[in-house]
Structure formats: structure tokens, C-alpha cells
Amino acid sequence: MKIGMVCYPTYGGSGVVATELGRLLAKRGHEIHFISTEIPFRLVHEADDNIIFHSVERFSYPLLGSELYTLSLASKIVQIANEQGLEVVHAHYAIPHAVSAWLAKQAAGGVRPKVVTTLHGTDITLVGRAPSYYPVVRFALDQSDAVTAVSEWLAEETRREFYPGRAIDVIPNFVDSTRFRPSLTPCKRSRFAPNGEKILLHISNFRPVKRVEDVVRVFARVQARMPATLLLIGDGPDYDRTVQLSHELGVSQHVHWLGKQEQVQFYFSCADLFLLPSESESFGLAAIEAMSSEIPVIASRAGGIPEVVKQGETGFLSPVGDVEDMAANALRILGTNGLGHQMGEAARRDVVARYQPESIVPMYEAVYERVLAQD
Ligand code: GMT
């Protein structure tokens, strides 16, 4: 099939899922046309003849105020659909990708491509609910030939907030367990834990929904009880506040601020515990990357996370904001001989059983085939 893959090129989870899905579809013989403002970061080193990247031209004019990305994206999709004969346009993250895809479908000449929209979380739980976008997002979901969501929770949230009774395919995220695995080299444990400290890890885009300050609060409680180091990977609006909090709590000398990293698997393979205390999280892609690396997860009981992390088996879940409970669970794992290893092994087994590309990618192919068979 000839598939247009529309996504954000940045470090967010939706862009990562779209990129990895496109890469694997290309290896399965599909022709994948990525359409984005810049080449998705995980594609940069890819060399596959079945993958073609098309850059959305940015155009602004003083009268317009800001550039009209929704329109320039729609125009690019029309151009590629007409030139390449796209059969499906797969829009990742509803805003504005599902709208641009629908517009392009109306404007395309010849055989109009089908539109598949994949919901990733904040497009429904946060951005899409804004009165500025709600009516149009709802319309775009209605007009999509298929809508998928990365968790049962997100599918239910979408039906509750946008579309009672709407058929939504639940297709979980996936992780390459050959890439994310334990004891990778160059694991830099000696650099981060020269005295045998326990290593705690968090990765995110440091948006308020991630509650990165709670990561620091949990770490401070752990570090007060045992030698520990915190690795923080990512950047975003809450970065400065998080640095300030680490100084206020007197733990800044035990925190490594690593910024945005592409090869995050090497840091997972060093860590003993992964922290994900989000306010809301439709799936938590980083959680299965941690689990695949045999790291147990300490997370909030939010959104789709309980579908991913099995309480007491592959990690522990606490109410959002309950840093005392999260710290107690972290200390339990780190302070009980063999428990972290036991939960880590269970976590990897669970990821291998439930979240492998070999089983997930065909689920997307089945959706493509279904919509192509529809009138
Ligand atoms: O905020 C992020 O984590 C980025 C965001 C995105 O839209 O790129 O991630 C969302 O999509 C990921 C991939 O499906 C999910 O694993 C994340 O849980 C989801 N984020 C939220 O729901 C907050």
C-alpha cells in the first residue's frame, strides 16, 4: 500500500510511534510517505527506499498573523496524494493532522485517499477539548474512515468527550525489545553511580502534564534513605522549575540533567527504576521502553497506565500526586533484595508478550485494508 504518514517530527511519543510504524511498514513492503515540517528525528539515519520524506513548506504573511500550518499541511497532502497516488493518509495526533487530512481528501483529484486518525492522548484529553478546537476536532473524527486509540482508556475518553458509540480500534504502542534490553553497552553506570548508588530515571517533554516536580520529590525521599542518583532526560516548559526544586530539596548534586537524547536505550539499560507520575497519560510509551529494559516502573494510576503497568508485578501505581506512596514503593523495590530484578524480568516478559511490533503493526495493516475495502 501507498501510505501518507502525518505526524509531528519532535521528541513526543506520537511522533516516535508514527516514525517507528512507518519504518516497519516500509520493511514489510509498503511505500511510506512521511509528511511533516521536518524529518522525524528517528528517521534521520534511516536509509530505506520505501520511505520518502516530504517537507511541509512554511509560509507566513503579516496579514495572516502566524503561519497557517493546517492549510499548508493539507496542501502538501493533496500534492503528494495526487503525485504518488496515496491510498491511505494516516494522521497521528488529531490536531491539526486529522483536520488537514480531511481537507486534503476533499481537495484531492483522482481516487481520494482514505483517512485513518490515531489518537495519542493530549489531542483528546487536553488540546482537543479547548473550545477553540472542539467542534472541528469532533467533525474530523467523524469524517475519518477509521479512528484508532493507543489504549482502552483513551478510546473510552474519546467516546465520552467526543463521540458516544463511535467505533474506535484500540491498538497499543509497541517497542523494539531488541533495541531496548538490559545491560546494553555503553551503559554509563560507573559515571552516574560511582559508589554503587541506585539509579532512578525519568524521560519526558517536561510539560506540566508530566508532573516532573513529583519525580524530584519522590527522588528526594528515596535519596534521604539510600545512596541514589536521578537521571532526567528531556526538556520543556517545566525544566527550570524542576531545577529550582532540586536545589530547594537539597538533592541537585545527585541529579544528572541530560537534556534531549535520541539513544535513550543506553540510559534505560543503566537504571534501576523508572518514574512516571503523570497527571494524565494515555499510554506511557516510555514505560514500555523501561519495562523492555527490565526496569520496574513507579507511576501514577492515571489514564492508560494501569493497562500497561501491572500493580505489584511490573511496577507500582499510586494516586496522582501521592509522592509519599510513590517513594515508599520505590524504596520497597530498591531496598528489597532481588525484588527489582524479579519485577524487571516480569516487566520485560510482559512487554515481549504484549507490545511487540510483530503483533502490533499487522493491526494497523488490518485497519488500512478494512477502510480500503469500504466504499
Ligand atoms: O506528552 C507526551 O507524552 C507526548 C504525547 C504526544 O502526543 O506525542 O504522548 C502521547 O502519545 C504517546 C504515544 O502514543 C503516549 O505514549 C503518551 O501517553 C501520550 N501522552 C499523554 O497522554 C500525556
Side-chain angles (χ1 to χ4, degrees), residues 6-7 71 98 120 254 329 364:
V6 179
C7 66
L71 296 186
H120 285 273
H254 302 291
N329 290 329
Y364 280 110

Side-chain angles (χ1 to χ4, degrees), residues 8 10-17 93 118-123 125-126 150 153-154 173 204-205 207 209-210 278 280-286:
Y8 287 110
T10 53
Y11 281 73
S14 61
V16 169
V17 171
Y93 205 85
T118 289
L119 305 175
H120 285 273
T122 47
D123 44 355
T125 62
L126 220 157
V150 295
W153 175 83
L154 185 58
N173 291 328
S204 77
N205 49 32
R207 290 185 201 143
V209 72
K210 298 296 183 177
S278 307
S280 171
E281 197 74 63
S282 67
F283 183 88
L285 182 63

